[in-house]
Amino acid sequence: MTIKENLNEIKSQLPEHVSLVAVSKTKPISDLMEAYNAGQRIFGENKIQEMVDKWGTMPKDIQWHMIGHVQRNKVKYMAEFVNLIHGVDSFKLLKEIDKQAKKYNRAIDCLLQIKIAKEDSKFGISAEDAKMIISSDEFSELENIKIVGLMGMATFTDDMQQVESEFKYLKSAFTDLSKLNSENCELQTVSMGMSGDYQLAIDCGSNMIRVGSSIFGARNYN
Ligand SMILES: *Cc1c(COP(=O)(O)O)cnc(C)c1O
């Protein structure tokens, strides 16, 4: 199957309220252009430098999502153009994003990454920490960021019941935290679901899925 066929296949199964982030990390521009020419406009990358390089060469109507772990000292490289940062996991990072966005006179949309997996390796904060952040006075002073939702990654396991309970937990945290809406926090997006589990994620309330290998094929990290 070609990239275009893969994309069309996935899109034909998606309810209208679910947006598709095409995760293009490690893939060459030619692959991304194939997806672009098939109509895809949202691309997700997990390394800032790689995203900056691709942004520099590709058409300007693409929305670039940073889906990986973000180091504070690299925020400045993407502040001009990044459309959504999925992996925000501290107030310090939010403050840096706010500071860099101000230089471009814009507000950057962010998702708080909630740790829903059992594994230690997954980044993220607890729903309680998220609540503390968005209800703090310091947070309300940030004018150049906006929290628009939550992101989560389920445990890497074949146990679909485990995955389902983690997705349901993220959705319930979303419902809970939505009550705290403010000027710079308006939760709309639940980013969960990847190639192996996006159907389940949608059933559990996801409205943004991040799909890589089912579109572009397996990744080669060499
Ligand atoms: C790589 C990655 C994905 C996509 O994974 P696939 O299994 O290839 O669909 C989704 N989300 C994050 C955060 C990723 O790093």
Side-chain angles (χ1 to χ4, degrees):
M1 296 250 284
T2 65
I3 289 169
K4 181 179 180 169
E5 285 166 344
N6 290 338
L7 260 177
N8 288 340
E9 167 88 18
I10 293 165
K11 283 198 285 193
S12 72
Q13 303 163 6
L14 292 190
E16 215 165 317
H17 70 279
V18 178
S19 51
L20 171 64
V21 180
V23 175
S24 48
K25 60 192 185 196
T26 78
K27 296 295 176 181
I29 299 281
S30 55
D31 283 6
L32 277 73
M33 279 311 296
E34 235 181 287
Y36 179 87
N37 289 328
Q40 184 64 27
R41 290 296 180 272
I42 308 177
F43 290 85
E45 292 283 336
N46 72 337
K47 296 218 165 65
I48 292 174
Q49 190 54 56
E50 185 175 341
M51 183 172 78
V52 169
D53 291 345
K54 287 171 172 171
W55 166 69
T57 33
M58 293 193 59
K60 290 297 167 239
D61 61 343
I62 291 174
Q63 296 173 30
W64 293 99
H65 288 200
M66 175 42 57
I67 62 167
H69 185 66
V70 175
Q71 286 171 279
R72 262 181 291 147
N73 61 353
K74 292 192 179 156
V75 171
K76 55 177 177 282
Y77 303 116
M78 64 174 171
E80 180 180 353
F81 68 91
V82 67
N83 190 259
L84 181 63
I85 302 176
H86 289 234
V88 176
D89 60 357
S90 73
F91 181 72
K92 268 180 157 176
L93 177 57
L94 261 183
K95 245 183 117 160
E96 176 63 16
I97 297 169
D98 182 75
K99 179 179 154 191
Q100 297 300 334
K102 199 179 296 258
K103 294 182 181 167
Y104 295 96
N105 196 24
R106 62 183 296 239
I108 296 179
D109 286 349
C110 299
L111 306 179
L112 291 175
Q113 181 169 359
I114 307 295
K115 182 172 167 12
I116 58 174
K118 291 257 182 313
E119 301 143 328
D120 288 338
S121 61
K122 299 276 191 317
F123 295 101
I125 57 177
S126 68
E128 291 72 38
D129 287 345
K131 188 172 187 168
M132 291 227 287
I133 290 175
I134 60 185
S135 48
S136 73
D137 288 340
E138 307 179 277
F139 173 76
S140 64
E141 284 160 16
L142 303 181
E143 295 178 340
N144 295 81
I145 52 98
K146 188 166 188 185
I147 303 290
V148 297
L150 303 180
M151 180 269 215
M153 281 177 91
T155 304
F156 186 71
T157 172
D158 291 333
D159 181 355
M160 281 319 204
Q161 259 172 338
Q162 169 78 22
V163 173
E164 180 174 351
S165 77
E166 292 172 1
F167 284 157
K168 284 186 171 161
Y169 173 75
L170 186 64
K171 172 67 180 186
S172 75
F174 173 85
T175 306
D176 246 28
L177 295 171
S178 296
K179 295 168 192 147
L180 299 172
N181 279 353
S182 64
E183 193 116 344
N184 54 358
C185 180
E186 238 175 285
L187 301 191
Q188 307 161 301
T189 300
V190 186
S191 167
M192 61 182 186
M194 325 198 323
S195 291
D197 55 22
Y198 68 85
Q199 265 130 347
L200 178 59
I202 293 168
D203 291 342
C204 295
S206 169
N207 59 15
M208 182 174 283
I209 59 172
R210 311 175 307 267
V211 180
S213 41
S214 291
I215 298 173
F216 296 105
R219 283 178 294 275
N220 181 350
Y221 285 100
N222 294 324

